[in-house]
Amino acid sequence: AQSVTQLDSHVSVSEGTPVLLRCNYSSSYSPSLFWYVQHPNKGLQLLLKYTSAATLVKGINGFEAEFKKSETSFHLTKPSAHMSDAAEYFCVVSLSGYSTLTFGKGTMLLVSP
Amino acid sequence: ETGVTQSPTHLIKTRGQQVTLRCSSQSGHNTVSWYQQALGQGPQFIFQYYREEENGRGNFPPRFSGLQFPNYSSELNVNALELDDSALYLCASSLAAGWGANEQFFGPGTRLTVL
């Protein structure tokens, strides 16, 4: 079985400051890990994915995440927040080779001017 | 390339009624998954269809059922609606089951309200 824990339900940052959204995972086998973003009234959009290649994964819109097996973490970062980054972010785990996704409860990112 | 589309966008039903939600998968995709997203929660996996056969199911009762058609579009049916079924229902398509298949492309969802 696999699961993800998003450590913060809400994160508030000022525009131009760094973003850190934390995620820990649990998986019996080699996992695939994803971050999805959900803007209000829009579908989920894939930001980035880790599938056992490079541990530092670069995604769209300047986001990146680092897979740390020893810490079972997959935190999402961005050096400088934009107002348009305000949305809900989901950390997701899947067993490699299977297509069922297990979502965390989400972290709402709030960006103030 | 056409993305994943869902219909209707919003729906209001009363307890005990039945509902059908529809999803058209992205062009070239043969696998469709359905998720339920309750308010303030992450999406939860309902079931998946691959080439018209159910290919996995989450922890949902049998009154949640589905179909996939030869063109890979899909329906989610819910019978005997309960208040707790109120949620955003998301459809996602992917290229195939198995390795590399877990990148899923999501539709905008159908917001179901049960009164």
Side-chain angles (χ1 to χ4, degrees):
Chain A
Q2 66 262 21
S3 65
V4 288
T5 302
Q6 293 185 243
L7 299 169
D8 306 292
S9 59
H10 292 81
V11 169
S12 294
V13 300
S14 299
E15 192 174 22
T17 64
V19 175
L20 169 63
L21 305 183
R22 298 182 295 164
C23 172
N24 287 116
Y25 71 91
S26 171
S27 178
S28 303
Y29 301 100
S30 176
S32 294
L33 293 158
F34 308 81
W35 278 96
Y36 279 84
V37 61
Q38 187 174 39
H39 287 93
N41 301 316
K42 292 195 174 180
L44 289 157
Q45 181 183 20
L46 179 67
L47 277 179
L48 50 80
K49 63 178 179 179
Y50 165 78
T51 54
S52 77
T55 56
L56 182 62
V57 182
K58 294 188 184 298
I60 61 171
N61 300 335
F63 285 94
E64 63 182 39
E66 186 171 7
F67 173 72
K68 292 186 176 180
K69 187 174 181 179
S70 60
E71 300 176 10
T72 61
S73 69
F74 191 58
H75 301 334
L76 181 70
T77 60
K78 182 173 180 177
S80 176
H82 287 197
M83 295 295 291
S84 60
D85 294 329
E88 187 147 31
Y89 291 78
F90 292 96
C91 183
V92 182
V93 67
S94 175
L95 286 179
S96 295
Y98 295 87
S99 51
T100 302
L101 302 180
T102 300
F103 284 76
K105 291 190 175 182
T107 297
M108 184 66 72
L109 177 63
L110 307 169
V111 183
S112 56
Chain B
E1 185 178 82
T2 307
V4 180
T5 60
Q6 293 186 243
S7 63
T9 54
H10 294 84
L11 203 51
I12 299 175
K13 292 285 189 179
T14 56
R15 263 188 316 178
Q17 285 189 310
Q18 179 266 342
V19 69
T20 297
L21 310 182
R22 295 179 175 84
C23 171
S24 291
S25 58
Q26 185 164 312
S27 177
H29 287 181
N30 57 12
T31 302
V32 173
S33 304
W34 286 91
Y35 294 82
Q36 181 196 66
Q37 185 178 15
L39 200 61
Q41 300 293 318
Q44 289 197 16
F45 174 68
I46 302 175
F47 45 56
Q48 181 183 87
Y49 279 82
Y50 171 61
R51 293 187 173 179
E52 304 178 56
E53 298 286 333
E54 188 177 291
N55 185 45
R57 188 178 182 92
N59 189 26
F60 280 81
R63 59 190 185 84
F64 285 78
S65 63
L67 281 173
Q68 187 180 30
F69 301 99
N71 66 355
Y72 303 129
S73 65
S74 177
E75 286 182 354
L76 164 65
N77 300 290
V78 187
N79 293 323
L81 283 167
E82 300 177 0
L83 296 180
D84 284 350
D85 296 333
S86 296
L88 180 68
Y89 288 85
L90 295 164
C91 168
S93 74
S94 53
L95 190 56
W99 183 259
N102 44 21
E103 180 171 349
Q104 298 186 8
F105 297 81
F106 284 82
T110 293
R111 174 74 64 187
L112 173 64
T113 302
V114 182
L115 302 176

